[in-house]
Amino acid sequence: VAEAKVKVAEGKVHAAEDKLDETQAAQATAQVALQAAERAFHESSTEEKSECHARVAAAKATADIAKSRSTRAQNAYERADEGLKSAQDGLKSAQNGFKSAQAELEAIRASTMSMRTASTGRGGGGSEDGNRGGV
């Protein structure tokens, strides 16, 4: 079960990482478009200012949306990464618990074998009180 949780968490991290890459690329593209619109606005004639101002506003809105999506994707990635670490810790704990249980089982088996050996060693022939007959 713990191994399955690790696999699921790894899948979530990879998906979040892909989404983060995608949103960061979109943010970079939007930022370039905003810079181009601002440059065009500053270089435009008075008659073109209104149209260029609208383009700058639209590019800024797009850049803001892209930044927000990128931030959310970054947060999702960090949560997925934390989930993976938690699942890995759970797996490690389960493995340690299993090893501990195996060690206990081996100790019980060794104790049982030692008790069997001791009981067969003293019970074979003659009485246990040291009386060898006769008296």
Side-chain angles (χ1 to χ4, degrees), residues 20-104:
L20 179 58
D21 290 344
E22 178 185 315
T23 59
Q24 286 176 336
Q27 182 182 2
T29 300
Q31 192 63 37
V32 168
L34 174 58
Q35 290 170 347
E38 288 172 338
R39 194 171 27 261
F41 175 77
H42 293 297
E43 295 171 357
S44 65
S45 65
T46 306
E47 300 84 37
E48 298 171 320
K49 290 276 186 205
S50 177
E51 183 182 332
C52 287
H53 181 64
R55 286 185 187 155
V56 168
K60 183 166 179 14
T62 300
D64 289 346
I65 290 168
K67 182 179 180 181
S68 175
R69 287 180 179 162
S70 182
T71 299
R72 287 195 312 269
Q74 177 69 38
N75 292 340
Y77 171 78
E78 289 170 2
R79 284 190 309 273
D81 193 48
E82 288 172 12
L84 174 58
K85 288 176 183 165
S86 177
Q88 288 170 332
D89 288 346
L91 176 58
K92 183 183 277 186
S93 178
Q95 289 170 334
N96 288 340
F98 180 72
K99 287 177 185 175
S100 176
Q102 278 183 317
E104 286 184 43

Side-chain angles (χ1 to χ4, degrees), residues 98-135:
F98 180 72
K99 287 177 185 175
S100 176
Q102 278 183 317
E104 286 184 43
L105 180 59
E106 287 302 317
I108 290 169
R109 284 182 181 158
S111 175
T112 302
M113 291 302 288
S114 138
M115 289 171 55
R116 284 183 185 163
T117 303
S119 71
T120 56
R122 60 178 127 117
S127 64
E128 289 187 33
D129 64 359
N131 191 356
R132 302 212 187 278
V135 178

Side-chain angles (χ1 to χ4, degrees), residues 1-15 80 83-84 87:
V1 175
E3 289 175 349
K5 287 182 180 182
V6 169
K7 291 289 184 195
V8 168
E10 286 173 341
K12 288 180 180 181
V13 167
H14 290 300
L84 174 58

